[in-house]
């Protein structure tokens, strides 16, 4: 078809001047016509099925393959393509974006109705859309009371499908594990949005602002912290800065880039501000970085990222660049899930609860295994091992091991000069007042991490001090400062450890079965509680006081028998001299004793060890429940 535009009498018009009713290509076959865009159609049933698959977390290719199998068509013969499905999913997100945000508020309200300690806040804009929403769980608020002195506020992720900025508050507990404090979704990235987020978070935590906060280099967030948290020391996460180095300096420095990065890390970890200033000038001269805008910007903001300028404030060791990997992995756990925004709160709750259970189990295992190893023989080390968590004790132990390498000189009353034995100049000044048990060091390691430095430990040991003063064993690093666990959760963790330790040998398994039977017998003599406790949705006691989900001792013994048989099958190749036993032999060995106050398995009244014991003390054999 040929169309031309003509203007006669200054009036434009379009006219068809030619038409050829024939094709200039071969026509498609009937089974190929469906691939033309005009013929690509997704039926309503297929649309609903694709939506269901997306909620289940399936990829687009998995959806297509499954639908091909369901419809019985060949590979690639569906009436729509991968691009069509992706466009459909994007249209779903665009249509439901605002509705999902409203549903998110409804979900928060439902959670609040079930758990009064759950906290959330939101803001609606002029177009009746959710502009901001923030929330925190009851467990997070409790954790913040103990470990909210140092906080990371990560705002480097977005929910692209909903075009909202994701901010997460994270801390570090006494076992060195990440703990979740709160979450916020922001429509805009400006000072007003960040101010609302910070103000809301502090309100969640009862008006208690953290001592220090680590963020990325967001200038709007920086200004908001000045306004909303004026007494909080703000610093930049070094890992966000280092991530930009390749773009800033890789081409500029060429083959010298790796050497420059090593020098930068050395400067970053220095202890004294004076050493940093000298080292920075030398670094700029060595690599010819005079006038570089990035170098000038880093130096102008040195108070926000360089460790020598931050050591007077407590950051709980979170300034280390390696800490970023664990935080990023924690956040990715719920970012990777493909779901609607209305389900995001429950996704975060699931990840937080899973992390809490994992951390509780790890803490219990550490306590039961008790793998703390003393290395110096110092009374200070022995004292600290009984007070600090294994994580904090290892940090202190590193300083204790290095302390003997330093010489201590008393320069005046209560003042000491400490330096490494290989140095003739420099060193650190330690002030010690034994009457008031006050001690400080110019390196400020204790103020920075809550762990005493090698210089202080050297002075204490030199002056015959065999215990660390109480105020230098911070409460947040102590063993008993763990977040409270539900009693049943604690019992579950202990039982898990009991099973893993018991199946190692037959002897251990025999002792475990006997002691469990005794403990159950004692527990049944206690009055039944009328309280209801739930863990993971399971009811452990009913209103009338009877246990709904309980097992008799024989059932528990049978469970251990099953575990034992599985263990023997696995280890039979290693223990060739062991005679396999069937279930009947095992059951005969588990016969119950009829002697009063005994009732144990494994023997009868004729060989009961309690028959020859005078003054039986029931508490003496019930050590497992202490």
């Amino acid at each position: 078809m040929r169309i031309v535009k003509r203007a006669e009498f200054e009036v434009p018009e379009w006219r068809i001047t030619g038409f050829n009713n024939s094709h200039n290509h071969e026509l498609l076959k009937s089974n190929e016509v469906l691939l033309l865009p005009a013929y690509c159609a997704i039926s309503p049933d297929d649309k609903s099925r694709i939506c269901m698959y997306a909620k289940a977390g399936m990829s687009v290719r998995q959806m297509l393959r499954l639908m091909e199998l369901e419809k019985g068509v060949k590979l690639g013969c569906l009436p729509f393509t991968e691009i069509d499905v992706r466009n459909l999913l994007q249209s779903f997100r665009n249509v439901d974006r605002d509705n999902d945000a409203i549903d998110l508020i409804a979900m928060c309200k439902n959670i609040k109705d079930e758990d009064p300690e759950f906290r959330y806040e939101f803001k609606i804009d002029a177009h009746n859309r959710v502009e901001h929403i923030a929330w925190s769980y009851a467990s997070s608020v409790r954790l913040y009371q103990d470990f909210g002195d140092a906080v990371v506020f990560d705002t480097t992720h977005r929910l692209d499908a909903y075009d909202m900025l994701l901010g997460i508050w994270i801390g570090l507990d006494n076992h060195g594990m990440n703990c979740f404090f709160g979450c916020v979704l922001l429509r805009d990235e400006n000072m007003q949005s960040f101010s609302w987020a910070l103000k809301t978070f502090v309100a969640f935590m009862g008006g208690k602002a953290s001592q220090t906060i680590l963020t990325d280099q967001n200038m709007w967030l920086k200004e908001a912290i000045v306004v909303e948290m004026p007494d909080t020391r703000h610093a930049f996460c070094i890992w966000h800065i280092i991530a930009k180095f390749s773009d800033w300096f890789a081409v500029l420095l060429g083959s010298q880039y790796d050497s420059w990065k090593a020098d930068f890390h050395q400067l970053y970890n220095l202890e004294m501000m004076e050493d940093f200033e000298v080292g920075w000038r030398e670094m700029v001269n060595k690599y010819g970085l005079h006038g570089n805008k990035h170098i000038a910007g880093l130096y102008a903001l040195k108070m926000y990222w360089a460790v020598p300028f931050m050591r007077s404030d407590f950051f709980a060791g979170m300034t280390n660049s390696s800490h970023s990997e664990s935080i990023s992995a924690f956040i990715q756990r719920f970012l990777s899930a493909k779901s609607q925004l209305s389900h995001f709160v429950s996704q975060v709750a699931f990840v937080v609860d899973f992390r809490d259970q994992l951390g509780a189990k790890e803490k219990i295992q550490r306590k039961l295994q008790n793998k703390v190893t003393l290395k110096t023989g110092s009374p200070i080390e022995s004292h600290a091992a009984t007070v600090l968590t294994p994580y904090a004790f290892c940090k202190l132990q590193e300083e204790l091991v290095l302390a003997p390498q330093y010489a201590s000189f008393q320069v005046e009353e209560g003042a000491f000069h400490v330096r490494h034995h290989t140095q003739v100049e420099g060193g650190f000044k330690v002030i010690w007042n034994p009457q008031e048990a006050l001690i400080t060091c110019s390196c400020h390691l204790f103020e920075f991490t809550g762990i005493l430095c090698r210089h202080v430990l050297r002075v204490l040991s030199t002056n015959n001090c065999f215990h660390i003063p109480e105020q230098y064993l911070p409460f947040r690093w102590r063993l008993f400062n763990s977040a409270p666990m539900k009693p049943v959760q604690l019992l579950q963790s202990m039982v898990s450890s009991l099973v893993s330790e018991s199946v190692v040998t037959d002897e251990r398994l025999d002792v475990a079965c006997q002691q469990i039977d005794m403990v159950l017998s004692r527990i049944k003599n206690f009055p039944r509680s009328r309280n209801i406790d739930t863990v993971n949705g399971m009811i452990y006691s009913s209103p009338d006081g009877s246990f709904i989900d309980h097992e008799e001792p024989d059932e528990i013994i049978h469970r251990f028998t099953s575990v034992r048989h599985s263990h023997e099958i696995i280890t039979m190749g290693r223990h060739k001299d062991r005679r396999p036993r069937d279930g009947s032999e095992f059951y005969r060995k588990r016969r119950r004793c009829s002697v009063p106050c005994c009732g144990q398995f494994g023997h009868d009244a004729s060989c009961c060890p309690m028959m020859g014991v005078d003054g039986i003390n029931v508490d003496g054999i019930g050590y497992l429940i202490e």
Side-chain angles (χ1 to χ4, degrees):
M1 180 179 294
R2 184 185 300 111
I3 303 175
V4 297
K5 180 180 179 181
R6 292 179 178 177
E8 297 180 357
F9 306 104
E10 299 182 354
V11 178
E13 62 179 2
W14 296 92
R15 289 188 178 183
I16 299 174
T17 60
F19 175 73
N20 186 359
N21 191 17
S22 63
H23 291 84
N24 58 1
H25 62 82
E26 293 183 4
L27 295 179
L28 295 175
K29 297 178 181 179
S30 58
N31 61 341
E32 296 175 335
V33 174
L34 296 175
L35 298 177
L36 292 175
Y39 290 89
C40 286
I42 305 178
S43 67
D45 291 339
D46 289 338
K47 288 182 180 180
S48 61
R49 188 170 294 274
I50 290 172
C51 183
M52 179 181 66
Y53 291 158
K55 291 180 180 180
M58 294 178 62
S59 68
V60 174
R61 292 185 179 179
Q62 290 173 334
M63 297 179 195
L64 292 174
R65 183 56 182 156
L66 182 57
M67 296 182 75
E68 288 169 351
L69 295 174
E70 290 177 341
K71 295 177 179 296
V73 299
K74 295 181 180 180
L75 186 66
C77 291
L78 287 172
F80 46 85
T81 64
E82 180 178 338
I83 295 177
D84 298 323
V85 175
R86 293 188 184 278
N87 291 336
L88 177 66
L89 293 175
Q90 184 62 42
S91 66
F92 284 160
R93 297 189 184 103
N94 293 335
V95 171
D96 295 337
R97 181 180 295 174
D98 296 335
N99 292 334
D100 282 353
I102 299 299
D103 292 341
L104 179 60
I105 296 176
M107 171 171 282
C108 289
K109 184 180 183 303
N110 293 336
I111 298 176
K112 180 72 174 180
D113 293 339
E114 296 176 1
D115 181 9
E117 296 300 320
F118 176 78
R119 304 178 185 186
Y120 75 102
E121 189 61 64
F122 62 92
K123 182 181 179 182
I124 304 296
D125 63 11
H127 302 285
N128 202 29
R129 299 186 309 168
V130 175
E131 186 173 3
H132 314 310
I133 183 168
W135 66 91
S136 182
Y137 307 98
S139 61
S140 301
V141 176
R142 290 193 296 268
L143 283 171
Y144 186 85
Q145 302 309 312
D146 290 334
F147 310 116
D149 41 14
V151 172
V152 173
F153 185 32
D154 190 293
T155 57
T156 59
H157 298 82
R158 297 186 68 89
L159 293 184
D160 293 329
Y162 300 94
D163 193 26
M164 298 185 79
L165 179 75
L166 173 66
I168 297 177
W169 287 274
I170 298 175
L172 197 73
D173 68 8
N174 54 342
H175 288 271
M177 303 179 67
N178 292 323
C179 47
F180 175 89
F181 292 145
C183 194
V184 64
L185 291 171
L186 302 174
R187 182 75 63 180
D188 302 312
E189 188 174 354
N190 52 40
M191 181 180 172
Q192 291 75 21
S193 299
F194 287 125
S195 294
W196 182 90
L198 295 172
K199 185 185 300 183
T200 302
F201 177 73
V202 173
F204 285 168
M205 304 305 165
K208 177 184 176 183
S210 59
Q211 298 177 22
T212 57
I213 186 170
L214 286 163
T215 71
D216 63 339
Q217 284 180 282
N218 190 306
M219 292 300 109
W220 288 320
L221 179 55
K222 176 178 176 292
E223 296 301 323
I225 291 174
V226 172
V227 175
E228 302 299 338
M229 305 172 71
D231 299 326
T232 298
R233 173 69 161 93
H234 180 207
F236 296 147
C237 300
I238 187 62
W239 54 88
H240 293 149
I241 297 176
I242 294 175
K244 303 174 183 177
F245 281 174
S246 60
D247 295 334
W248 291 352
F249 303 110
V251 176
L252 177 66
L253 296 175
S255 60
Q256 293 182 307
Y257 175 66
D258 291 336
S259 175
W260 174 83
K261 279 188 66 176
D263 290 348
F264 178 87
H265 280 286
Q266 186 176 2
L267 286 174
Y268 169 74
N269 289 306
L270 287 174
E271 295 172 327
M272 305 297 290
M273 291 183 287
E274 296 80 3
D275 295 338
F276 176 87
E277 296 289 354
V278 173
W280 187 267
R281 288 193 295 269
E282 293 177 351
M283 182 264 291
V284 172
N285 293 331
K286 177 180 178 181
Y287 296 97
L289 296 173
H290 302 87
N292 182 277
K293 64 178 182 179
H294 300 301
I295 289 293
L298 286 172
Y299 184 77
L301 295 172
K302 61 185 178 181
M303 299 291 295
Y304 287 89
W305 61 265
V307 168
F309 299 91
M310 299 161 53
R311 294 179 73 89
S312 296
D313 298 284
F314 180 74
F315 283 92
M318 292 193 295
T319 57
N320 194 321
S321 58
S322 62
H323 190 65
S324 64
E325 297 180 3
S326 61
I327 291 180
S328 178
F330 180 82
I331 296 174
Q332 289 298 329
R333 285 295 304 274
F334 47 81
L335 272 183
S336 59
K338 297 179 181 178
S339 181
Q340 294 175 320
L341 181 61
S342 58
H343 297 160
F344 191 69
V345 176
S346 59
Q347 289 175 351
V348 176
F350 175 79
V351 174
V352 171
D353 184 60
F354 175 81
R355 184 66 182 177
D356 289 345
Q357 292 181 7
L358 185 66
K361 183 177 180 180
E362 183 174 339
K363 293 169 189 176
I364 291 294
Q365 289 177 344
R366 287 179 181 179
K367 290 180 181 180
L368 294 177
Q369 292 172 357
N370 193 24
K371 291 185 177 180
V372 173
T373 303
L374 302 182
K375 297 181 179 180
T376 67
S378 165
I380 290 179
E381 184 184 24
S382 302
H383 174 220
T386 63
V387 178
L388 301 177
T389 63
Y391 171 81
F393 175 73
C394 287
K395 299 292 183 183
L396 180 67
Q397 194 176 52
E398 292 174 3
E399 299 296 319
L400 271 169
V401 170
L402 296 174
Q405 300 180 14
Y406 288 77
S408 173
F409 308 95
Q410 185 169 358
V411 293
E412 57 184 80
E413 184 66 25
F416 299 84
H417 188 78
V418 182
R419 66 169 178 259
H420 196 267
H421 70 95
T422 60
Q423 296 177 334
V424 294
E425 295 181 354
F428 301 89
K429 185 176 182 180
V430 177
I431 305 298
W432 184 36
N433 184 343
Q435 287 76 24
E436 299 182 7
L438 298 176
I439 190 166
T440 60
C441 180
S442 59
C443 78
H444 298 294
L445 180 66
F446 179 78
E447 290 82 357
F448 188 53
T449 64
I451 303 296
L452 284 179
C453 63
R454 64 200 70 173
H455 319 116
V456 165
L457 295 172
R458 177 60 175 167
V459 170
L460 291 177
S461 61
T462 302
N463 289 271
N464 302 322
C465 183
F466 302 114
H467 286 79
I468 297 177
E470 284 295 309
Q471 62 267 38
Y472 298 106
L473 294 170
F475 188 75
R476 66 118 51 228
W477 291 131
R478 297 196 180 196
L479 277 167
F480 55 82
N481 192 30
S482 300
M485 296 172 56
K486 292 183 178 180
V488 180
Q489 288 178 329
L490 176 62
L491 182 60
Q492 286 177 328
S493 298
M494 295 181 68
V495 169
S496 177
S497 299
L498 174 65
V499 172
S500 61
E501 292 292 336
S502 299
V503 298
V504 175
T505 65
D506 285 347
E507 291 74 15
R508 289 189 178 192
L509 191 59
D510 291 342
V511 173
C513 292
Q514 294 171 8
Q515 296 299 330
I516 288 174
D517 182 57
M518 288 190 295
V519 171
L520 285 173
S521 299
R522 291 192 58 196
I523 290 175
K524 288 190 174 182
N525 292 330
F526 285 94
R528 295 182 183 271
S529 172
R530 297 180 62 86
N531 296 329
I532 299 178
D533 189 14
T534 60
V535 176
N536 298 328
M538 289 187 62
I539 300 178
Y540 282 80
S541 63
S542 62
D544 63 359
S546 61
F547 282 87
I548 296 177
D549 187 12
H550 71 282
E551 294 179 335
E552 294 296 330
D554 291 339
E555 297 175 359
I556 294 180
I557 295 299
H558 176 70
R559 179 182 296 180
F560 271 87
T561 305
S562 303
V563 173
R564 178 197 183 110
H565 288 165
S566 301
H567 171 67
E568 289 178 351
I569 292 172
I570 295 173
T571 60
M572 194 172 294
R574 292 180 296 166
H575 302 282
K576 296 181 179 180
D577 57 340
R578 181 181 299 167
R579 181 173 61 88
R581 293 171 292 179
D582 58 16
S584 61
E585 293 183 31
F586 189 84
Y587 182 79
R588 287 197 296 270
K589 184 177 180 180
R590 291 289 181 263
R591 60 188 183 278
R592 184 194 294 270
C593 178
S594 60
V595 175
C597 300
C598 180
Q600 300 184 36
F601 284 89
H603 65 271
D604 54 23
S606 62
C607 56
C608 179
M610 300 188 69
M611 293 296 293
V613 179
D614 296 329
I616 295 175
N617 183 0
V618 178
D619 291 333
I621 62 175
Y623 63 91
L624 282 179
I625 64 172
E626 292 182 357

